């Protein structure tokens, strides 16, 4: 049986590079995105004659939209057994006492609530076939001291880490792995709302003298999705250049 992949946040810089890297390994790819951009549109055009790709325009902060995506996928009877969850609101700096609850809520809906909805929909079919791969994008802040002024972002990532640990224990004997990859700061459009000074300071403070490259993260995700990763579950792999 051909593997089926669902990627949330597929139009992100990480998502597009991951899809381009691994599309040939899947019988079908469901690619969730919120807003079309020229690079993602070009990728879909590039893959249109090479792979069975189903783009899904879904706002993960809207649960009606998430349920609509789940229903659309279920109606095909071709259900994902590999899920990579990359989606997250953009990072920004805000002192905790000035944070609004809406920021925490937005992070929760996109990062956690949508994922719970998706996993509850598709984990039963993975259990039935005794196979599944789930990979979550976390952050090196879940292992190291987090920066100031990012309380909502860090809180959501720790919630995802807790979900990862719980699900890995529950499904380890069912052929399903649940892992996370936690990169340090990567220079992608995800950082577009952060001051350049913060990005530069992170470069300078890194033992590598630079920020992490997407290409250094993708091999870890590929391994977690592969048959070689069958005995790895419940792990949160940090890629931070020694920070």
């Amino acid at each position: 049986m051909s593997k089926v992949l669902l990627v949330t946040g597929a139009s992100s810089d990480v998502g597009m590079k991951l899809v381009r890297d691994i599309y040939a390994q899947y019988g079908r790819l469901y690619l969730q995105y919120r807003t079309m951009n020229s690079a993602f549109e070009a990728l879909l055009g590039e893959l249109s004659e090479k792979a069975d790709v189903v783009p899904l325009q879904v706002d993960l902060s809207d649960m009606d939209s998430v349920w609509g995506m789940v229903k659309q996928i279920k109606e095909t009877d071709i259900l994902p057994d590999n899920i990579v969850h990359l989606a997250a609101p953009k990072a920004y700096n805000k002192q905790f006492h000035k944070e609004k609850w809406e920021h925490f809520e937005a992070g929760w809906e996109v990062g956690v609530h949508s994922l719970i909805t998706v996993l509850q929909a598709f984990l039963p079919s993975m259990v039935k076939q005794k196979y599944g791969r789930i990979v979550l994008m976390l952050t090196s802040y879940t292992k190291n001291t987090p920066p100031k002024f990012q309380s909502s972002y860090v809180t959501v990532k720790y919630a995802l880490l807790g979900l990862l640990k719980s699900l890995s224990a529950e499904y380890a004997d069912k052929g399903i792995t649940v892992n996370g990859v936690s990169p340090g700061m990567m220079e992608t459009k995800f950082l577009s709302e952060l001051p350049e000074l913060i990005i530069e300071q992170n470069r300078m403070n890194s033992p590598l003298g630079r920020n992490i490259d997407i290409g250094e993260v993708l091999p870890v995700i590929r391994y977690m999705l592969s048959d070689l990763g069958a005995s790895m579950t419940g792990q949160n792999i940090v890629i931070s250049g020694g920070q």
Side-chain angles (χ1 to χ4, degrees):
M1 181 183 296
S2 295
K3 295 186 293 184
V4 179
L5 175 66
L6 167 62
V7 181
T8 68
S11 62
S12 65
D13 293 333
V14 176
M16 288 188 287
K17 287 195 175 184
L18 175 66
V19 168
R20 184 172 278 111
D21 202 33
I22 65 174
Y23 73 87
Q25 300 171 24
Y26 292 91
R28 172 171 288 185
L29 298 93
Y30 294 105
L31 304 182
Q32 180 276 330
Y33 69 100
R34 185 175 68 88
T35 305
M36 182 64 72
N37 59 64
S38 58
F40 187 57
E41 186 174 19
L43 174 63
L44 293 177
E46 176 186 330
L47 297 181
S48 62
E49 296 183 2
K50 300 178 181 179
D52 182 0
V53 177
V54 180
L56 300 165
Q57 185 172 18
V58 178
D59 181 355
L60 296 182
S61 68
D62 177 356
M63 286 307 110
D64 287 339
S65 185
V66 175
W67 277 113
M69 176 180 72
V70 168
K71 180 181 178 182
Q72 182 178 343
I73 293 173
K74 281 191 168 184
E75 286 175 347
T76 69
D77 285 329
I78 302 176
L79 306 185
D81 48 27
N82 283 214
I83 296 174
V84 179
H85 185 55
L86 303 175
K90 288 184 178 180
Y92 61 92
N93 270 28
K94 181 76 73 172
Q95 290 176 300
F96 175 70
H97 70 277
K98 294 182 179 179
E99 271 280 23
K100 297 180 179 179
W101 169 246
E102 287 80 6
H103 293 152
F104 284 90
E105 189 172 39
W108 176 267
E109 292 298 298
V110 173
V112 184
H113 192 177
S114 68
L115 177 65
I116 289 172
T117 300
V118 166
L119 292 181
Q120 288 183 331
F122 299 127
L123 270 168
S125 63
M126 296 184 201
V127 170
K128 186 177 293 186
Q129 65 183 23
K130 296 183 179 180
Y131 168 80
R133 298 285 183 270
I134 300 165
V135 180
L136 311 184
M137 177 62 75
L138 302 179
T139 171
S140 63
Y141 303 156
T142 57
K143 283 290 185 74
N144 303 320
T145 302
K148 299 177 182 179
F149 312 136
Q150 294 191 29
S151 56
S152 61
Y153 175 74
V154 174
T155 298
V156 167
K157 291 301 186 182
Y158 267 95
L160 284 172
L161 178 59
L163 182 63
L164 180 161
K165 293 293 186 180
S166 178
L167 294 182
S168 66
E170 185 171 346
Y171 290 95
D173 62 347
K174 298 174 175 62
I176 299 168
T177 64
V178 188
N179 293 293
V181 58
S182 284
M185 186 175 286
M186 294 184 289
E187 295 192 30
T188 69
K189 59 178 178 281
F190 179 74
L191 305 179
S192 62
E193 296 183 15
L194 285 180
E196 177 58 34
L197 176 62
I198 291 175
I199 300 171
E200 178 59 29
Q201 286 177 336
N202 197 80
R203 290 189 202 107
M204 295 173 61
N205 291 335
S206 171
L208 297 178
R210 61 175 176 81
N211 290 323
I212 302 302
D213 184 81
I214 293 174
E216 296 170 311
V217 177
L218 296 186
V220 179
I221 298 177
R222 287 202 307 268
Y223 181 82
M224 290 173 172
L225 294 173
S226 72
D227 291 339
L228 293 174
S231 62
M232 175 189 282
T233 193
Q235 300 305 303
N236 177 23
I237 304 301
V238 175
I239 306 169
S240 65
Q243 277 185 306

